[in-house]
Amino acid sequence: MHIKHHGAVNGVTGSCHQLFINDSASLLVDCGLFQGEESKHDLNIEFDISTLKALLVTHCHIDHVGRIPYLLAAGFRGPIYTSLASAKLLPMVIEDALKVGVTRDESMIRTCLKLLKRQIIAIDFNQWHVLDDLQLKTKFRLQRAGHILGSAYIEIELGSKPNTHRVVFSGDLGAPYTPLLPTPKPPYKADTLVIESTYGDKNHQGRKERVTMLKKVIERAVSDNGVVLIPAFSIGRTQELLYELEQIIHTASKRSMWHTLQIIVDSPMAANFTTEYLHFKELWDDEAKKRINQGRHPLDFSQLHTIDTHQEHQALINFLDSKQQPAIIIAASGMCSGGRIVNYLARFLPDKTTDVIFVGYQGQGTLGRDIQTYGPRGGYVFINNEKVTINAQIHTISGYSAHADQTGLIKFVTGMRKKPRLIKIVHGDEQAKQTLAKKLEQVLGIEIGIGIEIVVRG
């Protein structure tokens, strides 16, 4: 058994890991798109798929599934296993990715989606699934990862007792106490662990702190009747923000500005995904279910408006530009690497009454990272090859990341009854990976190569 990494090695995008069970059989865990500085990578599938028996999908973020059309184009016709919720979301994500980044040819898109839907096999959490076609004892199961709706970490067990070897792929692990979804529970054991490290060198603010900060930032931001822009991924972050904003409105004084402030989601995709979040309410945590039972609507409240067509999108930008009227705009993409948020940034970054709130990780080489870096200095960025001066106020609230922080990642490992013998750290910048490796060495009380080997790729 060995693992080859075809992405998310030197950064946080392009997740794609090939588990070789033997010389003639392998499994692929995720097949994601590269973004930011890493987007220069060729999208075509350059690795050998002749041994590939199945694709296992941890969740539907584009950096974990965006290369699936290229995998299909390369001839892969095997099963694509994923959770029930992810099976519903995946065709929507792929269709949008094709339209935005590949082609508007409806015939080509239909062909790809037809293949995709034919190959998807939806399975429940916490149920072992035997892969009979591998002609050896191999099974896997999905466990809830708490990152976005339907997200999973994957346990793969090779061989038969007493000589089994269990490989765990973390996918993206959710942070504790995030809205809507429960905190992931560590597996009982792992012999080999492939773990993400997005925040391997940082810890998030507590939930009360981040809610308080979000409330204060927005109240200050709208005091000058300016626009508040929040870049957010359509799946996960958008729904979490809506959940928190509904709570702020619910607890605010009836005479406060919160009860007149317009909250606008400018993303048809986000609106569709929010519908699916409502459909899969059984996956919500106890707190969210309690709010529903109280008659509240945390993802569908009166001040929430969604923008559908491109014409409506342009009309809203023009309206906000001509009127001094405060509003919160939530739009994709979360790293500002595309999508409708870019049009808002181009128009409103030069305005000193604008506030931009980053609530998620900004990858190296993305527009979001550049705004984060140069905005506080009164610098500039290039959008659509035009220089845009940043006069807007720039804020970062890291506590809203849907990724586990350093403490959460370490708890995931130390919470296992039987600790891994091999840990591979992926999906992180170099500093994050190195810092997490050192921390794991310390808390596990061993040195590299003694008992547990920690391999930092890249």
Side-chain angles (χ1 to χ4, degrees), residues 366-409:
T366 61
L367 176 59
R369 176 70 73 92
D370 287 345
I371 293 171
Q372 255 185 342
T373 302
Y374 302 113
R377 309 176 192 174
Y380 61 89
V381 291
F382 283 93
I383 300 177
N384 298 325
N385 297 318
E386 292 190 9
K387 181 178 178 180
V388 178
T389 301
I390 304 173
N391 293 320
Q393 296 293 310
I394 310 300
H395 315 270
T396 298
I397 307 178
S398 66
Y400 276 102
S401 173
H403 286 270
D405 60 10
Q406 184 187 84
T407 299
L409 293 169

Side-chain angles (χ1 to χ4, degrees), residues 85-388:
S86 292
K88 191 74 181 293
L89 298 174
L90 185 55
M92 299 162 60
V93 172
I94 295 301
E95 181 178 7
D96 184 68
L98 288 171
K99 288 180 178 178
V100 171
V102 181
T103 180
R104 286 281 178 177
D105 186 322
E106 290 293 336
S107 175
M108 186 180 296
I109 293 171
R110 282 197 304 271
T111 300
C112 180
L113 293 177
K114 185 177 179 180
L115 275 175
L116 178 66
K117 291 176 182 179
R118 185 185 302 162
Q119 292 171 237
I120 290 175
I121 299 176
I123 60 175
D124 284 322
F125 288 113
N126 199 28
Q127 292 188 7
W128 286 107
H129 186 93
V130 178
L131 295 170
D132 297 321
D133 61 334
L134 295 182
Q135 298 179 352
L136 46 83
K137 300 290 185 179
T138 301
K139 60 182 181 179
F140 76 93
R141 67 180 173 186
L142 308 180
Q143 300 281 25
R144 295 172 67 166
H147 177 62
I148 65 168
L149 185 70
S151 61
Y153 68 83
I154 301 175
E155 297 179 272
I156 303 172
E157 188 153 296
L158 310 175
S160 55
K161 292 180 179 180
N163 298 313
T164 59
H165 186 98
R166 189 168 298 184
V167 185
V168 174
F169 290 86
S170 75
D172 287 353
L173 296 171
Y177 313 117
T178 53
L180 287 169
L181 301 177
T183 303
K185 296 178 180 179
Y188 174 77
K189 63 173 283 189
D191 296 299
T192 297
L193 171 64
V194 180
I195 190 168
E196 67 132 319
S197 58
T198 311
Y199 286 97
D201 58 343
K202 294 181 180 68
N203 282 311
H204 301 320
Q205 296 165 301
R207 185 173 177 188
K208 287 184 179 179
E209 291 176 278
R210 69 191 185 217
V211 172
T212 299
M213 185 173 179
L214 179 67
K215 185 172 182 287
K216 285 182 177 178
V217 168
I218 290 175
E219 287 175 345
R220 194 220 63 79
V222 302
S223 64
D224 55 9
N225 291 323
V227 174
V228 179
L229 303 178
I230 307 181
F233 289 112
S234 297
I235 316 176
R237 198 66 44 77
T238 293
Q239 291 77 28
E240 291 171 4
L241 282 167
L242 295 180
Y243 184 87
E244 297 287 54
L245 290 168
E246 189 273 343
Q247 173 66 6
I248 293 172
I249 293 169
H250 180 77
T251 57
S253 165
K254 296 298 182 184
R255 287 184 286 183
S256 75
M257 64 88 188
W258 282 100
H259 290 275
T260 58
L261 182 61
Q262 300 303 301
I263 298 167
I264 299 165
V265 175
D266 190 350
S267 169
M269 284 286 288
N272 291 335
F273 293 140
T274 300
T275 299
E276 295 305 326
Y277 264 77
L278 292 167
H279 178 73
F280 285 97
K281 287 195 290 289
E282 72 274 9
L283 298 178
W284 292 13
D285 63 14
D286 291 340
E287 177 191 285
K289 290 175 182 176
K290 184 178 179 181
R291 292 190 190 179
I292 289 288
N293 292 334
Q294 291 172 344
R296 292 167 59 182
H297 303 280
L299 298 182
D300 187 21
F301 45 95
S302 60
Q303 289 163 240
L304 175 62
H305 307 277
T306 57
I307 300 298
D308 188 8
T309 67
H310 183 72
Q311 289 77 13
E312 291 173 334
H313 163 70
Q314 286 298 143
L316 177 61
I317 290 179
N318 293 333
F319 174 79
L320 293 173
D321 198 24
S322 62
K323 304 284 187 181
Q324 280 201 324
Q325 180 173 331
I328 298 174
I329 309 294
I330 303 171
S333 75
M335 294 186 190
C336 310
S337 53
R340 292 182 178 181
I341 191 65
V342 176
N343 295 330
Y344 286 101
L345 293 167
R347 181 72 67 93
F348 293 109
L349 276 179
D351 190 339
K352 65 181 181 181
T353 67
T354 300
D355 289 77
V356 181
I357 304 177
F358 289 105
V359 291
Y361 185 85
Q362 303 300 305
Q364 291 185 7
T366 61
L367 176 59
R369 176 70 73 92
D370 287 345
I371 293 171
Q372 255 185 342
T373 302
Y374 302 113
R377 309 176 192 174
Y380 61 89
V381 291
F382 283 93
I383 300 177
N384 298 325
N385 297 318
E386 292 190 9
K387 181 178 178 180
V388 178

Side-chain angles (χ1 to χ4, degrees), residues 386-455:
E386 292 190 9
K387 181 178 178 180
V388 178
T389 301
I390 304 173
N391 293 320
Q393 296 293 310
I394 310 300
H395 315 270
T396 298
I397 307 178
S398 66
Y400 276 102
S401 173
H403 286 270
D405 60 10
Q406 184 187 84
T407 299
L409 293 169
I410 290 171
K411 283 183 177 179
F412 185 77
V413 180
T414 58
M416 298 181 196
R417 293 287 296 275
K418 293 187 177 181
K419 308 295 188 294
R421 287 177 286 170
L422 171 67
I423 299 178
K424 292 193 169 192
I425 300 177
V426 296
H427 201 287
D429 293 334
E430 192 61 32
Q431 180 178 328
K433 288 186 295 187
Q434 295 285 356
T435 302
L436 180 61
K438 290 176 182 177
K439 275 286 185 180
L440 284 171
E441 288 177 329
Q442 293 170 7
V443 298
L444 294 172
I446 48 83
E447 296 179 4
I448 291 178
I450 301 176
I452 295 177
E453 178 187 4
I454 297 178
V455 180

